[in-house]
Amino acid sequence: QVRVAESGGGLVQPGGSLRLSCGTSHLTLEYYAVGWVRQAPGKEREGVSCISSNNGKKYYADSVKGRFTTSVDSAENTVYLQMNSVKPEDTAVYYCAVGAWCKTVGSSNELVWDEYDYWGQGTQVTVSS
């Protein structure tokens, strides 16, 4: 059974940084698309980023471009989400999700978040002073 696990969430002050990690059992992440999806209280889930194994491309939601970076460490079989210059509106549960490809839709290339095959349980990120 494939298990996906996130770690690294916590409380961070506005303007600070946090790094989330995503690991799995039974999958080699560099061969998959790995996305980060978040859900804030009272809001729908939102695709935050996706890194594609097919072409190495990285995709980001407009709300995090220039602040968040996703990367893969093949040796550790881990995908990271480096979160810099965080804002209170970044407060959410962050999920790592694994699938066949990164998918976007529309002229704004909005990340599709509901077509991943495997999901973690989520890690809470709270941005507050």
Side-chain angles (χ1 to χ4, degrees):
Q1 183 178 357
V2 174
R3 294 183 180 178
V4 178
E6 309 90 343
S7 62
L11 176 64
V12 59
Q13 293 187 344
S17 296
L18 204 62
R19 189 178 75 164
L20 306 183
S21 301
C22 173
T24 72
S25 62
H26 301 94
L27 294 178
T28 303
L29 289 178
E30 64 177 326
Y31 299 146
Y32 291 85
V34 181
W36 288 94
V37 178
R38 68 184 180 186
Q39 187 166 22
K43 295 188 177 181
E44 292 189 355
R45 289 191 179 186
E46 172 192 22
V48 174
S49 70
C50 188
I51 183 167
S52 171
S53 63
N54 293 331
N55 54 20
K57 287 189 67 174
K58 302 177 183 180
Y59 305 83
Y60 298 96
D62 287 345
S63 57
V64 306
K65 278 180 183 175
R67 300 188 298 120
F68 291 9
T69 303
T70 188
S71 61
V72 58
D73 185 329
S74 301
E76 297 294 327
N77 197 32
T78 300
V79 170
Y80 299 101
L81 183 68
Q82 178 67 43
M83 305 167 61
N84 297 331
S85 302
V86 296
K87 305 174 181 179
E89 51 263 45
D90 294 322
T91 295
V93 177
Y94 284 73
Y95 298 91
C96 178
V98 182
W101 52 74
C102 300
K103 186 175 180 180
T104 63
V105 64
S107 58
S108 62
N109 289 323
E110 181 179 347
L111 279 165
V112 173
W113 62 264
D114 59 353
E115 295 191 1
Y116 295 106
D117 298 311
Y118 307 103
W119 289 77
Q121 294 298 307
T123 185
Q124 176 70 47
V125 172
T126 302
V127 182
S128 175
S129 56

